[in-house]
Amino acid sequence: MYTLAKACSHHNHGHCISDAINSARQLCDERGVRLTSLREQVLELVWQSHKPLGAYTLMDMLAEASTRRVAPPTVYRALDFLLEEGLIHRINSLNAFIGCPSPTQKHQSHFLICQNCSVAVELESQALNQSIIDAAADSGFSVTSHSIEINGLCPSCQASANKESK
Amino acid sequence: MYTLAKACSHHNHGHCISDAINSARQLCDERGVRLTSLREQVLELVWQSHKPLGAYTLMDMLAEASTRRVAPPTVYRALDFLLEEGLIHRINSLNAFIGCPSPTQKHQSHFLICQNCSVAVELESQALNQSIIDAAADSGFSVTSHSIEINGLCPSCQASANKESK
DNA sequence: AGAATTAAGGTTATAGTGTAACATAATGTC
DNA sequence: GACATTATGTTACACTATAACCTTAATTCT
Ligand SMILES: [Zn+2]
Ligand SMILES: [Zn+2]
Ligand SMILES: [Zn+2]
Ligand SMILES: [Zn+2]
């Protein structure tokens, strides 16, 4: 799991990409599912940044990279596969997709989303998970999945905002 | 705030509707904003059930009720107003809207959504709110808003499922 | 290896969701 | 009533996602 501080500040992002691709290959191999070149290419495009990207943006990037036209179903099918295998998540409030840094551990989609720089990072909190389970149980609700999307400002954008206001 | 048990079982739903309309009128009056007949009509349609409804469904209901054609911007503008005033919420994972039973108290959008009967009810948990604030603070993230969408089975659908499997 | 089967991707068309831009009507202010 | 403001009507379009059908590639089974 990457920290928010890392994702929204300067870092060697090549490592993020190669780590994601490598663990995806291993994971797919272990599960006996096929990480085809198209799927890998889409995963790599998703990982170009820590910002969620829309399907049509990915489609354009794909078209640009391969000098051939790409139609929506092509990218959506790849995205469906990646979602299914937990290699990416979908941010519902943005209609956008982002790479998962820890696809081997099954987990729910919980995100911090900076409304200034658009960076989104996963939030992992056992206390938060427990709060959800408890709250649902109080209502007699049986939980199968949940998503949390928290909007606000990442540390670097808070710093910029403070400078501005001085 | 309605309980989940009430919303997903038989109850006098007329009360839900009239309560919602009455408090909306009062709230808009106090705030000096106009609950026009169109806005009130959309609010009433949203409250026809405890299930989130899409904008186009509402548009069709509106057209059917008023024997005149209604275009998307008409319903979206009414929905925007109702969202702005906190009279309804948007369920991002469903692209749908649902009435808020407690619009006078400002709060975030936290929902339990039954994947069987589609009923969605708000979840109010101070512990959950605190968990979010704490988890975000740990990352140095400054929160402005958040939404939680929990999918699963409501009590009555759990009961039905148990019967089925016997 | 060759045939049968399955999985993945290509292609076209269309469904579903949401807005921009501009015109008209209603409301509020002086 | 003149004027500014707000709300709604209208048309056209942008963005997001899927259905249906066909072709190609990979896997499986003799
Ligand atoms: Zn990175
Ligand atoms: Zn930021
Ligand atoms: Zn009710
Ligand atoms: Zn149910």
Side-chain angles (χ1 to χ4, degrees):
Chain A
M1 182 76 69
Y2 296 105
T3 63
L4 174 57
K6 178 177 175 188
C8 64
S9 59
H10 193 68
H11 65 282
N12 189 331
H13 186 60
H15 290 166
C16 300
I17 301 176
S18 56
D19 287 357
I21 299 296
N22 288 335
S23 57
R25 283 177 179 157
Q26 186 180 340
L27 177 154
C28 288
D29 195 50
E30 286 169 8
R31 293 183 187 167
V33 295
R34 295 171 48 208
L35 186 64
T36 63
S37 69
L38 174 66
R39 290 165 174 176
E40 185 175 313
Q41 197 180 358
V42 171
L43 181 62
E44 188 163 352
L45 290 173
V46 166
W47 270 100
Q48 283 309 107
S49 75
H50 291 274
K51 305 177 185 184
L53 296 178
Y56 278 69
T57 301
L58 290 165
M59 205 177 78
D60 293 343
M61 292 166 82
L62 207 50
E64 195 157 342
S66 49
T67 66
R68 75 179 194 283
R69 185 177 164 268
V70 179
T74 300
V75 66
Y76 276 104
R77 281 189 288 229
L79 290 169
D80 286 345
F81 170 84
L82 298 171
L83 283 170
E84 190 73 26
E85 299 302 328
L87 294 165
I88 61 172
H89 297 283
R90 182 174 198 278
I91 310 280
N92 288 321
S93 59
L94 300 175
N95 295 337
F97 304 86
I98 189 163
C100 176
S102 44
T104 52
Q105 330 167 223
K106 203 172 179 69
H107 57 274
Q108 301 295 319
S109 180
H110 294 177
F111 282 93
L112 296 171
I113 307 165
C114 181
Q115 57 207 166
N116 183 247
C117 69
S118 303
V119 161
V121 300
E122 294 199 37
L123 181 61
E124 187 183 10
S125 161
Q126 192 44 49
L128 184 47
N129 273 296
Q130 193 59 47
S131 291
I132 289 182
I133 294 168
D134 292 346
D138 284 348
S139 300
F141 191 85
S142 156
V143 177
T144 59
S145 71
H146 43 93
S147 78
I148 304 182
E149 298 176 15
I150 304 177
N151 302 294
L153 290 177
C154 72
S156 23
C157 289
Q158 287 171 54
S160 311
N162 284 341
K163 259 189 202 166
E164 287 293 323
S165 65
K166 274 181 190 169
Chain B
M1 183 76 67
Y2 296 105
T3 64
L4 173 58
K6 177 179 177 186
C8 65
S9 61
H10 193 67
H11 65 282
N12 187 333
H13 186 60
H15 290 167
C16 300
I17 301 176
S18 56
D19 286 357
I21 299 296
N22 288 334
S23 57
R25 282 176 179 161
Q26 185 180 342
L27 177 155
C28 288
D29 194 50
E30 286 169 8
R31 294 182 188 168
V33 295
R34 293 171 51 205
L35 186 64
T36 63
S37 68
L38 174 67
R39 290 166 175 175
E40 186 175 313
Q41 197 182 358
V42 171
L43 182 61
E44 189 163 352
L45 290 173
V46 166
W47 270 102
Q48 282 312 105
S49 76
H50 291 274
K51 304 176 185 182
L53 295 178
Y56 278 69
T57 302
L58 289 164
M59 207 177 76
D60 292 344
M61 293 166 81
L62 208 51
E64 195 157 341
S66 48
T67 64
R68 75 179 193 285
R69 184 176 164 269
V70 179
T74 300
V75 66
Y76 276 104
R77 282 190 287 230
L79 290 170
D80 286 344
F81 170 84
L82 297 170
L83 283 170
E84 190 72 26
E85 298 302 328
L87 294 164
I88 62 173
H89 296 284
R90 184 174 197 280
I91 310 281
N92 287 322
S93 59
L94 301 174
N95 294 338
F97 304 85
I98 189 164
C100 175
S102 44
T104 52
Q105 329 167 223
K106 203 171 180 71
H107 58 274
Q108 301 295 320
S109 181
H110 295 177
F111 282 92
L112 296 171
I113 306 165
C114 181
Q115 55 208 167
N116 183 248
C117 69
S118 303
V119 161
V121 300
E122 293 199 38
L123 182 62
E124 188 184 9
S125 162
Q126 191 45 48
L128 184 47
N129 273 297
Q130 192 59 48
S131 291
I132 288 183
I133 293 167
D134 292 347
D138 283 348
S139 299
F141 191 85
S142 156
V143 176
T144 60
S145 71
H146 43 94
S147 79
I148 303 181
E149 298 176 14
I150 305 177
N151 302 293
L153 290 177
C154 71
S156 22
C157 289
Q158 287 173 54
S160 311
N162 284 341
K163 259 191 202 166
E164 289 291 323
S165 66
K166 275 182 188 169

